[in-house]
Amino acid sequence: MHWLKFAVQPVSILLLASCGGGGGGATPVPPTTTLALTLRQVVGGLNQPIYLTAPAGDARLFIAERPGRIRIVSNGALLTQPFVDISAKTTVNGERGLLSMAFHPQYAQNGYFYLYYTDTNGDIAVDRMQVSGDANVANPASATRVISVPHPGATNHNGGQLAFGPDGYLYLGTGDGGGAGDPNGNAQNPTSLLGKMLRLDVGGSGPGYAIPPDNPYIGMSSRRNEIWASGLRNPWRFAFDRTDGLLYIADVGQGEREEVNIAAATQGGNNYGWRTMEGTACYNAATCERAGLFIPQFEYQHGANDANGCSITGGFVYRGAAIPELAGEYFYSDYCKGYLKSFPYRNGVAGAVRDWATGDIGNVLSFGQDAAGELYMLSANGGVYRIAKR
């Protein structure tokens, strides 16, 4: 089982030069001879490390384990006591579990952080919690519900990430509800919160959320006002570029293609095409109506026997200081292959793919980014690895 995508069928690498679609079969290019990368293990022995982040200005690493705990690495050591343990509130059936966390932009002042997980009924839940008097332990009694999204039936396609955008609003990437081919049509249904990017205002001190006044469907009774973008299948990691203000969304495909959509963080109302399209191709049809759909800037095909991969794991644009040569490179991997690859995106064009030849670290569950902008890869083998110069 690879839990990031069920019911896939193997279907080749396709790099798009622009959002105009089309494609040739470009082969990834090797990295420059003057720069080589390696993966240095930071910690091992974790239980399905699924996300890594840190508050602004904080040298610690906070690592979410899918069964429901958040662990802290401080001064290179894994602390014994979890920061948070919500294992009683979730399950790991299918693709369920604790899937990510995010710190409030003013965490240093208010101590708020947010969890994205599936509850014991399988519904998507986002809770706000607060740190206790001990900086390494959260206050379990502080938990309040921000939003719940019903997810009946299938155990897969829960999406799984939340993150604060440069505008201070909270973004959530939800899956289409599961099953092959979005059988309930959620991704294109404007009254469903599944298969969407949601944008919420959680800036108040009270529980819950408000609708940002510039959300694209504000005031429309025929559409859920929380929706920022639609047409997503199972967005497995999105990221805001800290410099360029672009939003990168890696969306897991059905059986043929994996894609990355790139848009200005201020550009709401995009329809990313699923299930009308899978990547740049019509899904399950000879023709399809593409008018109004946002075509991905980058995709790759699985290839025979999943030679190129089966399920994209999206990462981040590198903006750290340790490897300045990597500035502007967007990193990604694939759950089935364990590689490390990247491409630059400049002036609306995705550049050539670099294969960094760092070896296969097993099933890559996620990337992470620390407060300094350095990047990490998280493996199902229980290891967390920092991307570093060789």
Side-chain angles (χ1 to χ4, degrees), residues 266-341:
T266 56
Q267 185 177 339
N270 290 340
N271 185 335
Y272 292 110
W274 175 252
R275 67 182 176 175
T276 302
M277 300 180 68
E278 179 186 6
T280 62
C282 297
Y283 174 69
N284 206 25
T287 61
C288 60
E289 178 52 62
R290 306 184 186 203
L293 302 183
F294 190 95
I295 307 301
Q297 287 87 341
F298 175 83
E299 68 175 9
Y300 61 92
Q301 294 183 7
H302 293 183
N305 299 315
D306 290 341
N308 302 315
C310 73
S311 181
I312 192 169
T313 301
F316 296 85
V317 176
Y318 183 80
R319 296 296 180 187
I323 319 175
E325 302 95 320
L326 296 180
E329 290 280 321
Y330 173 76
F331 284 86
Y332 70 97
S333 185
D334 188 282
Y335 178 78
C336 292
K337 290 299 178 180
Y339 53 58
L340 177 64
K341 295 183 180 182

Side-chain angles (χ1 to χ4, degrees), residues 6-7 15 24 32 36 39 70 88 92 98 157 166 169 185 228 252 281 307 349-350 364:
F6 283 12
L15 174 65
T32 62
L39 301 176
I70 294 173
V92 291
L98 172 60
H157 298 188
Y169 294 128
W228 180 250
V252 177
V349 176
V364 177

Side-chain angles (χ1 to χ4, degrees), residues 86-104:
I86 63 161
S87 55
K89 294 184 176 182
T90 189
T91 70
V92 291
N93 294 336
E95 296 173 2
R96 295 170 176 168
L98 172 60
L99 301 177
S100 72
M101 70 175 302
F103 289 97
H104 193 281

Side-chain angles (χ1 to χ4, degrees), residues 16 116 158-163 165 171-176 187 195-199 227-241 245-253 257-274 278-279 294-300 311-317 330-333 343 345 350 367:
L16 299 184
Y116 187 124
N158 303 293
Q161 191 179 340
L162 74 172
Y171 291 71
L172 285 68
T174 67
D176 66 8
K196 307 297 194 299
M197 183 70 71
L198 310 182
R199 182 175 183 248
I227 296 173
W228 180 250
S230 59
L232 295 169
R233 183 177 181 272
N234 194 35
W236 191 246
R237 303 322 189 198
F238 64 87
F240 294 95
D241 184 345
L246 295 175
L247 172 60
Y248 290 67
I249 306 173
D251 198 16
V252 177
R257 299 165 187 250
E258 307 300 309
E259 69 182 70
V260 180
N261 297 286
I262 308 169
T266 56
Q267 185 177 339
N270 290 340
N271 185 335
Y272 292 110
W274 175 252
E278 179 186 6
F294 190 95
I295 307 301
Q297 287 87 341
F298 175 83
E299 68 175 9
Y300 61 92
S311 181
I312 192 169
T313 301
F316 296 85
V317 176
Y330 173 76
F331 284 86
Y332 70 97
S333 185
F343 63 84
Y345 182 74
F367 282 77

Side-chain angles (χ1 to χ4, degrees), residues 83-151:
F83 179 65
V84 169
D85 188 344
I86 63 161
S87 55
K89 294 184 176 182
T90 189
T91 70
V92 291
N93 294 336
E95 296 173 2
R96 295 170 176 168
L98 172 60
L99 301 177
S100 72
M101 70 175 302
F103 289 97
H104 193 281
Q106 281 77 52
Y107 178 76
Q109 288 75 44
N110 59 31
Y112 291 149
F113 63 95
Y114 298 79
L115 304 179
Y116 187 124
Y117 65 99
T118 55
D119 65 22
T120 52
N121 293 320
D123 295 332
I124 295 169
V126 174
D127 287 355
R128 187 189 74 187
M129 296 185 70
Q130 195 169 28
V131 69
S132 71
D134 182 342
N136 290 327
V137 180
N139 175 10
S142 67
T144 61
R145 181 58 48 87
V146 175
I147 189 172
S148 296
V149 180
H151 192 289

Side-chain angles (χ1 to χ4, degrees), residues 6 16 38 73 122 178 193 207 242 250 345 388:
F6 283 12
L16 299 184
T38 188
V73 174
L193 296 182
R242 295 183 175 188
Y345 182 74

